[in-house]
Amino acid sequence: MKRDPQRPEERPEPPPRPLLSPSSPSGRAEGAELAAPVWIFGYGSLVWRPGFEFTSRKVGFIRGYSRRFWQGDTFHRGSEKTPGRVVTLLEDRGACTWGVAYEVRGEQIAASLEYLNMREAVLGGYDTKLVKFHPQEKDAEEPILALVYIATPQNPSYLGPASEEDIAAQIIVSSGCAGHNIEYLLRLADFMRYFCPQAEDKHLFSIEEALISILPCLYYTEESLEESASVPQKSKG
């Protein structure tokens, strides 16, 4: 069987580096219970705008998940009237999702988790999980255990699947306090294109392609409406 060049090579995984303190029986993602360093994996807007201080960052991937624009957003990239579309992760055996892992240490841990709890968990409705992160560097010998935020179908803002064309149409008309939903899509596509050129994200790039194909139609429609408004109309009668 030929190896797919777009998928990372499957290799036996050694035990991940410890993230949770051995004295933490619950394993909850709270600053007091986490041993330094802590790694936080971002696969959406965190790849270009983490919003917290960190010690280092690594580009890489996690296995067993696909990225999907299935989460609604009524705050950061949308509103109650026009919810935006942002990404979450879907369990998908054999798939992988590329992103960025941030290392936080010392005082950065509590500050970053407090910030992300408000940005992702409270406002975004995301739950937290621990996943194995595989750095892109060729000399990386073992995966790193990282914290990740994932929205589930039980989330009140969860929108679920839709066609790439419908998702693109919804993104075009949505904006929130963090900016337009279009910016969110294009920045994520640019990250994949420039930092992970060997990887493929068909869902993401199909939505980008659908959005680009719709934009000229909107432009010419608005232009024609402006021209019509400037032309004197003949009276009827």
Side-chain angles (χ1 to χ4, degrees):
M1 179 182 293
K2 293 184 178 180
R3 175 177 170 269
D4 186 348
Q6 294 178 344
R7 285 188 179 276
E9 183 179 357
E10 295 285 349
R11 294 180 298 177
E13 296 181 0
R17 298 174 188 172
L19 172 65
L20 297 176
S21 169
S23 62
S24 172
S26 63
R28 293 167 57 195
E30 297 181 5
E33 298 176 347
L34 293 172
V38 173
W39 290 86
I40 299 166
F41 178 68
Y43 56 92
S45 59
L46 289 183
V47 303
W48 72 83
R49 187 174 64 87
F52 55 85
E53 292 185 1
F54 56 90
T55 300
S56 65
R57 67 191 295 272
K58 294 178 181 291
V59 175
F61 62 91
I62 62 173
R63 288 194 173 104
Y65 291 92
S66 293
R67 176 168 39 214
R68 292 289 183 268
F69 275 82
W70 289 4
Q71 172 67 5
D73 186 345
T74 59
F75 185 80
H76 298 289
R77 299 289 177 171
S79 64
E80 293 289 343
K81 186 176 180 181
T82 55
R85 283 263 184 175
V86 293
V87 293
T88 185
L89 295 180
L90 175 70
E91 290 190 13
D92 185 359
R93 184 178 180 181
C96 66
T97 295
W98 287 78
V100 175
Y102 297 92
E103 178 191 16
V104 292
R105 292 176 174 269
E107 296 180 355
Q108 296 174 343
I109 297 175
S112 62
L113 294 181
E114 181 180 357
Y115 169 77
L116 288 171
N117 181 61
M118 176 58 66
R119 170 174 162 172
E120 306 292 341
V122 176
L123 298 177
Y126 289 69
D127 296 330
T128 56
K129 287 188 177 183
L130 291 173
V131 295
K132 293 179 181 179
F133 171 77
H134 301 261
Q136 188 179 46
E137 292 94 332
K138 294 181 179 180
D139 59 350
E141 297 180 356
E142 57 186 35
I144 301 168
L145 202 58
L147 186 69
V148 65
Y149 290 79
I150 301 175
T152 67
Q154 288 70 41
N155 186 296
S157 298
Y158 193 81
L159 297 177
S163 69
E164 282 79 6
E165 292 75 17
D166 287 344
I167 293 175
Q170 185 172 352
I171 287 174
I172 285 176
V173 298
S174 302
S175 63
C177 67
H180 205 287
N181 208 177
I182 293 177
E183 178 197 21
Y184 180 98
L185 169 66
L186 297 182
R187 278 184 175 269
L188 186 54
D190 283 345
F191 164 78
M192 287 295 296
R193 190 171 287 114
Y194 296 117
F195 289 93
C196 319
Q198 78 282 16
E200 176 62 34
D201 191 326
K202 184 178 179 181
H203 177 75
L204 170 64
F205 290 125
S206 293
I207 296 172
E208 180 192 34
E209 183 178 349
L211 180 140
I212 292 173
S213 67
I214 294 173
L215 284 176
C217 299
L218 293 178
Y219 173 78
Y220 287 120
T221 300
E222 292 176 358
E223 187 178 64
S224 62
L225 288 174
E226 291 175 358
E227 290 177 353
S228 299
S230 63
V231 175
Q233 299 295 314
K234 294 182 180 180
S235 59
K236 296 181 180 180

